[in-house]
Amino acid sequence: MSLRLLEVYLPEEKSEQMEELLAEYSYLEMWKDKNSDRSTVRILLYSNQVEVITDFLVKKYTHIDSFQMLLLPVEAMIPRPEPLEETADPEDTTSRVNREEIYARVTGSINFSWTELSMVLLSSAIACVGLVQGSEAVIIGAMVLAPLLKPNMALAVAATLGDVDLVFKTIKLGFLGILAGLIFSIFVGWCFPISPDLPEIAFRTRVSLPEIIVALASGSAAAISLTTGERNSIVGVMVSVALLPPLVTWGMLLGSGEWEPAGGAMLLVLVNIASLNIAAIATLLIQKVSPMDWWGSIQAKKLTKITFGFWALILALLVSLVFIFQFRNA
């Protein structure tokens, strides 16, 4: 279990009460320093002890102008702290990092800069080569570069926390990223027409249960990685597995004038996007990621229902279209 250092800045008279106020909560150590105009209280905790204490302190002191909190990661402590004891009450601690860390991670990565655009175009170019040559190694290399994890995870977090502004920002970012990759792939297909019979191309022009399972598992794994603080690049690759190759296939087939197989690739892209988001939202709900305030929870529940219902409806309609199409061609 990782450690966190919580620094709380308060007026001197308020900081005197800190130890008494936190007597009911679990933490490792507490120190207090006196500054010129306010005191600093430092609290050492395990990562899954943070949220309940920060929520309490925000509710208690948010009305004070000089109140501030900083949350810092702790790489190591000497001597080593005692292992965290298991609690009988499952609400005392959680198996994830705190809400503010999760939110900071997704909001800090949501921007469509020249770097992001370059990574999308470069990964799409590499994927085009890999798909045409039938090279799985090159395709995997493209998926390592593709920055497709961020918008999907940010959208799921925004929905579960009820942040409407973040929902629209992530939708815009995700749309721009997909559009950039698609337009580039269409241009490649127009310049160098491809055959839909190529093995790596044909494989990504149909929707089947295994592809849906991969997308669902990738979305869930990405959400777990986010909420437990594990920065695992393999998770981002798995999300790209579900999105980048079918997206590039869709664009190249459109550029080559292969309309029917391009439609199959488009369905696969949309099914995978819906599956990723459904699994991510469900996993965040299981992890009990929610706003601190009751009024925020009400808005979050509404937004989560709308978002989850939208993706579930899209997935059901797309899968129905796939089955109808396959039945007619049987």
Side-chain angles (χ1 to χ4, degrees):
M1 185 67 66
S2 57
L3 296 171
R4 299 291 186 272
L5 183 64
L6 182 65
E7 292 192 354
V8 186
Y9 301 93
L10 284 168
E12 174 67 20
E13 65 275 9
K14 298 295 182 181
S15 65
E16 295 288 347
Q17 312 165 0
M18 186 69 72
E19 189 169 353
E20 181 181 348
L21 288 172
L22 297 181
E24 300 179 2
Y25 298 94
S26 299
Y27 58 88
L28 294 172
E29 299 284 347
M30 181 186 294
W31 307 273
K32 189 178 76 169
D33 295 330
K34 177 67 172 68
N35 298 324
S36 57
D37 57 346
R38 58 182 180 175
S39 294
T40 302
V41 179
R42 294 182 175 89
I43 308 170
L44 182 67
L45 318 96
Y46 283 106
S47 59
N48 63 347
Q49 296 174 321
V50 173
E51 187 167 297
V52 65
I53 290 181
T54 55
D55 286 355
F56 171 76
L57 293 176
V58 168
K59 291 176 182 178
K60 185 73 176 177
Y61 296 117
T62 189
H63 63 283
I64 299 176
D65 292 337
S66 60
F67 168 69
Q68 285 182 316
M69 284 196 302
L70 294 179
L71 183 61
L72 308 172
V74 178
E75 296 296 333
M77 177 182 175
I78 301 175
R80 295 172 183 170
E82 293 294 326
L84 182 64
E85 296 181 0
E86 295 293 332
T87 176
D89 184 358
E91 293 186 359
D92 286 346
T93 57
T94 61
S95 60
R96 58 172 172 81
V97 298
N98 67 91
R99 178 195 315 107
E100 300 306 322
E101 284 188 70
I102 295 171
Y103 187 82
R105 285 177 183 175
V106 297
T107 55
S109 63
I110 295 302
N111 60 82
F112 196 72
S113 62
W114 282 108
T115 302
E116 295 290 322
L117 178 59
S118 299
M119 296 299 282
V120 169
L121 296 179
L122 290 171
S123 60
S124 298
I126 296 171
C128 288
V129 174
L131 289 168
V132 172
Q133 292 185 343
S135 174
E136 294 183 359
V138 175
I139 297 173
I140 292 172
M143 293 184 295
V144 172
L145 294 179
L148 301 178
L149 173 63
K150 300 173 185 177
N152 287 281
M153 288 304 99
L155 181 57
V157 170
T160 53
L161 293 181
D163 191 330
V164 178
D165 292 336
L166 184 58
V167 166
F168 286 110
K169 186 176 181 179
T170 53
I171 289 175
K172 178 183 177 181
L173 177 65
F175 175 77
L176 289 175
I178 290 174
L179 184 63
L182 181 63
I183 291 175
F184 178 82
S185 303
I186 291 174
F187 177 74
V188 171
W190 179 73
C191 293
F192 308 99
I194 63 168
S195 169
D197 297 326
L198 292 172
E200 292 294 338
I201 297 293
F203 177 70
R204 292 172 174 88
T205 57
R206 57 183 181 271
V207 179
S208 62
L209 183 60
E211 280 76 30
I212 297 176
I213 292 174
V214 167
L216 290 170
S218 299
S220 183
I224 291 173
S225 176
L226 176 66
T227 57
T228 56
E230 296 292 335
R231 298 179 180 272
N232 194 336
S233 60
I234 296 177
V235 175
V237 174
M238 287 304 300
V239 172
S240 297
V241 167
L243 295 182
L244 183 64
L247 175 65
V248 172
T249 299
W250 176 21
M252 287 196 296
L253 289 172
L254 282 177
S256 302
E258 301 287 349
W259 310 114
E260 185 173 331
M266 178 192 69
L267 285 176
L268 181 57
V269 171
L270 297 178
V271 165
N272 285 350
I273 291 174
S275 300
L276 283 167
N277 282 276
I278 287 173
I281 292 173
T283 303
L284 291 174
L285 292 176
I286 292 172
Q287 293 280 65
K288 297 180 180 179
V289 177
S290 61
M292 176 181 62
D293 304 306
W294 64 268
W295 57 87
S297 297
I298 294 175
Q299 178 174 325
K301 288 179 180 178
K302 291 180 180 178
L303 188 57
T304 301
K305 288 180 180 178
I306 292 172
T307 307
F308 190 89
F310 170 79
W311 288 121
L313 179 61
I314 291 296
L315 181 59
L317 290 175
L318 291 173
V319 171
S320 298
L321 285 175
V322 170
F323 281 121
I324 291 173
F325 180 78
Q326 292 177 347
F327 178 76
R328 287 182 177 178
N329 291 341

